[in-house]
Amino acid sequence: MRVHGLYDELNRARHGRTWQPHDFVLGFVGDVGDLAKLTQAADGVRPAPPGNGLGHELADCLWSVVVIAELYGIDLEAAFTTTMRQLEESITGDLGKGTTR
């Protein structure tokens, strides 16, 4: 959130306003697009774009998710733990039934 605060200062100085939560979501979508291009490049589907690498874009995406969760008051650790438990139970149940999707 320290970097978020720095971005607030920079955006206020440059544009006279800070980003709203939806702006961070739009930024995240852009980061996911960059990530998609880099994974295609890593898999040999397209030429590597100039700029940062896959690790950088993954970190950008993770940072965006953390900031968005904070801005919307989501306990991300608790949500992640609950979601992973639910997925594990669902997948385990399907495996026990011999069900495939």
Side-chain angles (χ1 to χ4, degrees):
M1 293 311 291
R2 184 173 48 96
V3 172
H4 170 263
L6 291 171
Y7 270 122
D8 275 354
E9 288 181 42
L10 181 63
N11 285 320
R12 196 175 289 112
R14 285 186 178 170
H15 309 290
R17 74 173 192 91
T18 60
W19 276 23
Q20 299 301 303
H22 65 268
D23 294 315
F24 282 97
V25 173
L26 290 173
F28 174 58
V29 169
D31 289 339
V32 170
D34 293 340
L35 178 63
K37 291 173 188 172
L38 287 167
T39 58
Q40 286 180 318
D43 291 341
V45 176
R46 67 181 295 154
N52 299 310
L54 190 55
H56 175 90
E57 286 307 323
L58 284 167
D60 274 353
C61 288
L62 180 59
W63 178 80
S64 293
V65 168
V66 169
V67 169
I68 292 164
E70 181 72 21
L71 293 175
Y72 284 101
I74 304 296
D75 181 341
L76 192 56
E77 183 178 3
F80 183 82
T81 300
T82 298
T83 301
M84 292 303 106
R85 187 186 74 251
Q86 291 168 341
L87 287 172
E88 184 176 355
E89 289 170 359
S90 175
I91 293 166
T92 302
D94 285 349
L95 288 171
K97 295 180 222 172
T99 305
T100 59
R101 293 183 185 190

